[in-house]
Each structure stands twice: as structure tokens, then as C-alpha cells.
Amino acid sequence: MIRLTLIVGLLCVAPIASAQGPKPIERPWARLLSRMDVKDFGAETVRIGDLDGDGGPDLLLVQSHYGSRKITCLTAVTIFGKVLWQTGAPSAENGRIYSDLPVQLYDWDNDGANEVLYVRQAKYAEPAYDGRSVRERAARYEGQATMLILDATTGRQKGSFSLPAPADDCFLFADLTGRGRREDLVVKDRYWNMWGLAHDGRVLWHWSGSPGHFPAVADVDGDGRDEVFVGFALLDHDGKVLFSKDPKGAHQDACTLVRPADGRWRLLFGNGGIHCLAVDGSELWHHPLGEAQHVVAGHFQKDSPLQFVVVDRTPVASHRRDANAWAILYLYDLGGKELWRRQQEKGAWAIAPLAVDWFGAGSPQAILVYGQGPGRPAELIGGHGETFARLPMEYTPDRTAEDRKADFYALVADVWGDSREEVILFGSRGACLYANPRPSANPTQYNETLYPGM
């Protein structure tokens, strides 16, 4: 039986009467909705989507062998922790990761129901693997990698097709063939190669260079097919290189494509600083930083429609994981002007940000910052750098003190159906979900009548 804790109370301060009338009720900015017992299938990789066919979002927890990145177990659960199905062998030791994993949820066959897609590795034939160290590529492979397609409601395999042998790092969906829907694939190895694949698995093109951690796709030239941006290069839908810059041995740690109200695409990426490019590759602005690990676009301030959150890990370049290391959080506007910076506490060097629609009703987004260090909560930060809520990872009571120091990651999605996004925290030893308990600021209705028809 799966144990879960559902928190339904709302912490608030009772109104106090005064000569001026009752004081408004004060409510916290975050409420714990669920705390899940992940038993031995906890994971630092989670995907969100409908896994039981009821139309509401569920969670897919993905375990892998740490060094080889081989996916070992998939567990589908509801947002309250009820197990829907599981495939593979769960192990508490396989919840940790150091990289992205090649698994996604998507309606791959466009039948109105989701599939789970994940990559089974080819055999790394040479050199022989010691079973422990980090393994990112082989000098020789045997066979091909395989894309497996599972029915999302049962976990049973529906189909498969071959991939180039090294293409087992991560993948994303794109429209490379003009199907009108993202039904093709961009796949890659860890740092050296990338391929475009048609829906049936045919290799459309291959590119070698510096793809970085995860590409970005968008139709930036308006031809009905996606281009692929990897920071130092932009590729057309057919693999033609539209521009390329010498990475000088580096790779992009984050990239994004945005098209603001002026209609001009901006291509942003981070590594040796934060770079903003035009579609022809010309640099619009650049700020040198030590290591721009994350670049997140969002609407965080009322007076302009678009800003960029950037994480710089400069202080930790020479002493990673030092208890005294820390990162810096920046906010830039569309033109590259620094709006503010915020140095993190000592030990908070591995922070990561997400844009979260916490307030709803067209209000500016909040910034979720997690990865603060062992045992430290995630934070919700406003557009001017102020913290307004702290979200600790909540574990089930049986978890040990050591378990509670485990790393955790975060995702945001409207899983509660209140037209605002919730925060899901998850790691190898636990998972929990937070929501905004304050009433949504919906517009006031007026000109009401008993005689509708106006």
C-alpha cells in the first residue's frame, strides 16, 4: 500500500476587529498539497502528463544507473503518490542523476492519448566499462540505440525504432518535415553529435559540433518547419548550418528562443557569459560571466513584457561543491540591461531557476529557485529580487536525517486545475507538491441581471 499525506488545511491569521473595520485575512503564499512516499522508486528525473487517461496530469519518475545513464525503472504515479504502473526494477540507489535522461511524455501517434518515449542504449563495446565511473561515449558500439514507445496508461510497449548508436543523451520533439505538428525528433549524444529524425525513425541529417546540454527549437524563418538552436550554431530544419561560431572547446549550458512583441527573434545562450543573438548570428548584447548555467525567459516585472533570469556560477569555477561556494542570480531586460543581481548564500552554488505562473490572472510570473544546498528549501522570488515564500522538500516521517539531505529538483505545471502553476519538488528520497492558496484575482463581474440576454 502506498502511503501519502494530503495536507488540506489552510494556514491563516484570523481577522481582528478594529475601529476601521475587520482586518483582512492574511494567508501564506504557499500551501503543501501532497507529500508522496516514493519508497524505493524516488528519482531526480520526473516528467508530467496524463498517465491514467483521465485528462489530468500525473507524474512519471525515472531511475537510471548513475555512471552509465542507463534507464532502469519507470514509475507512473498520481500527484498524490498512488502508483499507476511500474516497469523495470526500482532501486533507491538509482534515483540520482548527473545529466539529463532521454525520456519524454507526448501524444506521439496523435490519437489523443499520451505515450512514454525513452531510449535504450546500444552496447558500449570499447573500452570495457568498469560499472562505476561516468561513461559518456564509446570508441566502438555494438548495435543501435532504440527508441521505445510505451502506452502511457499501462506502461506496455507499443512500438520501437532504431536510433544512431551514440544518440542516448536526450531528445526533443520538433517539426522538421512540415507535418504541422512536432512529430519528428532531434536526438544527440552527450557533447559531440546531433541528428534530425523523421517520425518513422529515418535519419534526415547529422551534425557534429558542440550541441550543449539541450537544444531549443522554433520556426524562426516562418517556413512552417523548426530550426534547431544549440547556442554556438543555428541549424535549419534540413540540417543546413545557418550560422556557426567557434565554441573553443566549450558548450552551451542553457539556450532559449524567444519572440517578443516587436516580432524579432532573440536567441539566448549561456556559458562563458550570457549571449543574445539575432537569427543571423550577430550579437545583440553580451555580458561576460564565469559560467552562465541557466537562462530563463519570463514576464517578472509589470513595466516590461520580458526579462531573463540568469545563474552565474563564477565563484565556484575552481572549488565546486565547496561548502563556502555560491552562485549569483541576475535579472536582465530585453536589451541586456542588468535590473538586479542577488548573491546566494554560501553553499548555494548549484541553484537553478524556473519561471512560474504563481499569481495567475495575467500577473507577472515569479521565479522559483532550487538547488540551494542540502536540506535548504526552494524559494519563490518576485520580480525585484524579494523572497516571498520558502518551499522545503517535505518527506514522509520514516525518512532518515541523511535522506533529508538528498538533492531535489523542481518542475512547475498547473496540476491542480486552478489556472495557476504549482511547484513539484522531487528527489531520490521524496516528492511533494505546493500550490498558491490565495484566491485567484479574477475580474469583478458587473451589470448583473435577472434577465440575461444583454
Side-chain angles (χ1 to χ4, degrees):
M1 179 179 294
I2 298 302
R3 179 173 59 258
L4 62 95
T5 304
L6 173 60
I7 310 298
V8 295
L10 180 64
L11 181 64
C12 64
V13 177
I16 301 174
S18 70
Q20 289 77 35
K23 181 180 179 180
I25 292 177
E26 296 180 11
R27 293 183 174 90
W29 273 116
R31 177 180 66 175
L32 181 68
L33 284 181
S34 72
R35 174 173 52 203
M36 288 166 256
D37 183 358
V38 297
K39 296 188 178 297
D40 58 352
F41 56 82
E44 293 178 358
T45 297
V46 165
R47 304 292 185 244
I48 302 173
D50 183 12
L51 292 166
D52 58 9
D54 68 356
D58 305 296
L59 307 179
L60 181 71
L61 283 67
V62 185
Q63 290 189 332
S64 63
H65 181 266
Y66 183 86
S68 68
R69 299 173 291 115
K70 178 183 177 181
I71 292 175
T72 58
C73 183
L74 303 174
T75 305
V77 301
T78 69
I79 61 172
F80 299 120
K82 177 185 176 182
V83 174
L84 301 170
W85 54 263
Q86 187 175 77
T87 182
S91 168
E93 300 309 307
N94 287 342
R96 298 184 309 130
I97 56 169
Y98 75 90
S99 70
D100 206 354
L101 293 178
V103 58
Q104 297 289 343
L105 264 175
Y106 192 60
D107 182 4
W108 175 245
D109 56 13
N110 199 20
D111 67 349
N114 282 334
E115 282 75 41
V116 175
L117 287 83
Y118 78 98
V119 176
R120 183 172 62 201
Q121 294 179 337
K123 182 179 179 179
Y124 284 51
E126 295 177 8
Y129 182 48
D130 62 14
R132 299 183 305 276
S133 60
V134 169
R135 181 191 70 180
E136 295 184 327
R137 62 174 170 176
R140 183 174 69 84
Y141 298 87
E142 291 181 0
Q144 297 293 304
T146 304
M147 180 68 76
L148 299 175
I149 306 166
L150 310 184
D151 185 315
T153 60
T154 64
R156 298 190 185 98
Q157 185 173 328
K158 294 178 64 175
S160 66
F161 54 86
S162 295
L163 303 175
D168 60 18
D169 180 64
C170 64
F171 65 90
L172 64 160
F173 303 104
D175 186 356
L176 303 177
T177 56
R179 296 168 65 95
R181 184 174 180 268
R182 287 179 172 162
E183 295 183 351
D184 306 312
L185 291 170
V186 176
V187 301
K188 61 183 282 291
D189 63 9
R190 188 78 178 116
Y191 290 119
W192 308 277
N193 296 278
M194 187 167 64
W195 295 263
L197 271 65
H199 187 79
D200 59 6
R202 289 178 296 113
V203 175
L204 301 172
W205 49 263
H206 167 244
W207 176 81
S208 60
S210 179
H213 287 303
F214 198 78
V217 297
D219 180 12
V220 300
D221 61 7
D223 68 351
R225 292 165 291 191
D226 285 328
E227 282 66 56
V228 183
F229 179 52
V230 293
F232 293 100
L234 178 68
L235 278 63
D236 209 347
H237 64 274
D238 58 1
K240 177 184 176 182
V241 177
L242 299 176
F243 71 76
S244 180
K245 301 175 183 292
D246 184 359
K248 299 178 181 178
H251 62 263
Q252 58 87 2
D253 283 316
C255 66
T256 188
L257 298 164
V258 294
R259 189 182 188 186
D262 63 12
R264 295 167 44 212
W265 285 94
R266 268 72 158 186
L267 289 61
L268 290 100
F269 75 99
N271 188 275
I274 171 68
H275 305 262
C276 181
L277 312 178
V279 293
D280 63 0
S282 59
E283 193 160 79
L284 301 176
W285 52 267
H286 166 227
H287 291 292
L289 301 170
E291 184 184 4
Q293 184 71 23
H294 299 278
V295 181
V296 175
H299 175 212
F300 306 110
Q301 294 187 354
K302 290 182 178 180
D303 53 358
S304 62
L306 189 65
Q307 298 86 39
F308 305 103
V309 178
V310 176
V311 170
D312 181 19
R313 293 184 179 174
T314 298
V316 300
S318 61
H319 51 282
R320 287 246 172 114
R321 299 189 182 278
D322 188 316
N324 294 317
W326 38 263
I328 304 172
L329 189 69
Y330 290 87
L331 189 71
Y332 296 100
D333 70 9
L334 184 60
K337 177 184 176 182
E338 181 185 318
L339 300 176
W340 51 260
R341 70 175 68 182
R342 174 173 160 169
Q343 180 177 318
Q344 300 304 110
E345 297 179 12
K346 290 182 178 180
W349 67 270
I351 66 167
L354 289 170
V356 51
D357 183 9
W358 193 252
F359 308 107
S363 299
Q365 295 168 289
I367 303 165
L368 176 70
V369 177
Y370 62 97
Q372 306 272 22
R376 292 181 180 174
E379 290 184 87
L380 285 170
I381 297 174
H384 297 279
E386 72 284 5
T387 295
F388 64 88
R390 289 180 171 84
L391 312 178
M393 167 63 90
E394 290 286 345
Y395 298 92
T396 50
D398 59 314
R399 289 297 181 182
T400 66
E402 192 63 27
D403 286 341
R404 296 166 191 270
K405 295 179 183 178
D407 292 334
F408 64 85
Y409 289 74
L411 288 172
V412 300
D414 181 11
V415 300
W416 196 238
D418 65 352
S419 299
R420 296 176 294 194
E421 291 179 319
E422 284 70 52
V423 171
I424 303 100
L425 306 181
F426 54 90
S428 60
R429 300 299 186 264
C432 63
L433 190 153
Y434 285 92
N436 183 351
R438 299 193 177 195
S440 182
N442 293 320
T444 300
Q445 299 184 48
Y446 63 95
N447 286 353
E448 297 283 17
T449 177
L450 291 175
Y451 302 94
M454 293 177 62

